[in-house]
Amino acid sequence: MNVLSVLVFLPLVAAAVLLVPRISAAGARGVFVVVTAAELALAGLVWARYQTPAAGELAAEEQTRWIPGVGSSYHVGVDGLSLPLVLMTTLVFLACAVHAVREQRRPRLQAALFLFLEAVCLGLFVSADLILFFVFFDLSIVGMYFSISGWGHENAARSAVKFFLYTFLGSLALLVGFVGLYVASDPHTFDMVELTAHPPLQGHGVAGGLVLAAVLLGLAVKTPTFPFHTWLPPAHSDAPAIGSAVLAGVMLKMGTYGFVRIAMPMLPDAWRAWAWVVIAVGIVSVLWGALVGFAQTDLKRMIAYTSVNHMGYVVLAVGAAGVLADGADQARQVAVTGAVTQMVSHGLLTAALFLLAGSMFERTETYDLDGYGGLAGTAPRYATLFTVAAFGSLGLPALSGFIAEFQIFAGSIATVPVTAVAVLGILITAALFLRALQRVFTGPTAGLSVGFTDVTPREWVPVALLLAVSVFIGVLPRTLLDVIEPGAAVLADLVGR
């Protein structure tokens, strides 16, 4: 068993152990932190040993017979498109484990559930087989459903059902697309490396378009993009803090990762034909997410809509990478690099924001922005962390968001100039975060800010960890970009076939 398999199955084994009723609450919390820390160390080991694979190959690859009758195998590996997401995932789960060390509601079961979620999230990002990818994709839906319904608040049960039905419907569309790729391949296979090397529907305009439509629908719901985003705000509003952090920080990336891992390289000519539709969806998602987020008075719903906005940047960039134009090859690579960087950056910053929102709810049981005033006076550490996360999310230089958005717009505008209209999304996002900071943290202390206790170490340490990595990427982006850029260059070439 290689290190990627250990990375996937270690939290699964730990989750199974935690189901033993005799394990105490304190023991379960300890196992949660220790295992997620070990996962981060293992992901760091994979990163340290990583050598950029040749085009069409994966690093740390492992393949074992699984369902040979349908050409499906247990096949895992990483490249520059997946390894950054693997490391980001382990970091977000460690932050969640530390944040949850004071959990009082069924801590043993919650730790087991989130370790299960970590396993399926990592499994998806290292999958090199469509059936394996789909299994992890669907299991993540099940895990998050129980997280929202079991540890959420307000209308948790209703929000959990809405989340499940939406995303499960999307997964069915995705399955139809996968079957379409399998049927068209010769010999029949679900192997992602084979399907990428030999796109089965190349030159089959109508059939390729229909299969891509099914794949896009499944991924668009998961991302989520406009108009498939309506499950997101209630799911976040009613989810526990660590549930929101995992949902926004990690699980939304399953959709955008599917674009770069499956839709673009396996259906290149169909992707090029639909590129303008993808760009239009990206632009609308950017502007819609920012405008509706600006109108929110609920902190969690506001952050949720900024996720629609930020994922819109990713969709915009991968759409632009499908438009072939003279002299635009480098720009298309930059757009893809920016898209992957944005997945990592959004995972770090949005997880931090949702953990901070959770700390607010623990004290006052509300996310109402108008209920606070002058909070910086009573909770300076909380105010500092929230301000850094907000500025990172709006794309301030020296933070990861700037590196991601700069590349997305540089690559997209150079390829498709009309995408410049989406820059308005940055302006609106900046306005909504500045207005939230002004409402909650500035002025005389008033309302719910009176008596608001500042964040404790178990609250600020995980957030500071996420923000420190964001600052590191913002100041020294080369460490991350050296891994992403070769994979982005290969992907841009594959789409241009």
Side-chain angles (χ1 to χ4, degrees), residues 405-438:
E405 292 171 17
F406 176 77
Q407 291 184 103
I408 285 173
F409 282 108
S412 300
I413 294 173
T415 308
V416 186
V418 73
T419 57
V421 70
V423 175
L424 286 172
I426 296 179
L427 186 64
I428 301 169
T429 305
L432 75 86
F433 272 117
L434 291 175
R435 192 177 67 161
L437 292 172
Q438 186 180 37

Side-chain angles (χ1 to χ4, degrees), residues 30 73 87 90 128 137 199 215 217 234 265 282 291 308 340 370 386 451 461:
S73 62
L87 192 59
T90 58
F137 190 93
V215 173
L217 177 60
L291 287 169
V308 177
V340 179
D370 293 329
F386 195 96
V461 166

Side-chain angles (χ1 to χ4, degrees), residues 220-316:
V221 172
K222 191 80 169 184
T223 296
T225 63
F226 180 89
F228 307 109
H229 66 287
T230 55
W231 60 267
L232 186 69
H236 275 306
S237 293
D238 299 331
I242 62 173
S244 290
V246 169
L247 179 59
V250 179
M251 289 178 59
L252 299 191
K253 312 305 174 299
M254 294 178 177
T256 50
Y257 177 69
F259 289 136
V260 300
R261 176 60 68 201
I262 299 170
M264 296 172 73
M266 296 182 195
L267 295 154
D269 56 348
W271 184 268
R272 294 196 302 272
W274 283 58
W276 283 99
V277 175
V278 177
I279 290 170
V281 170
I283 291 174
V284 172
S285 296
V286 166
L287 298 178
W288 180 264
L291 287 169
V292 179
F294 188 80
Q296 301 302 310
T297 58
D298 180 291
L299 176 61
K300 259 194 161 183
R301 292 181 73 90
M302 184 194 81
I303 301 170
Y305 276 108
T306 64
S307 292
V308 177
N309 162 265
H310 284 91
M311 291 297 95
Y313 294 139
V314 177
V315 175
L316 171 69

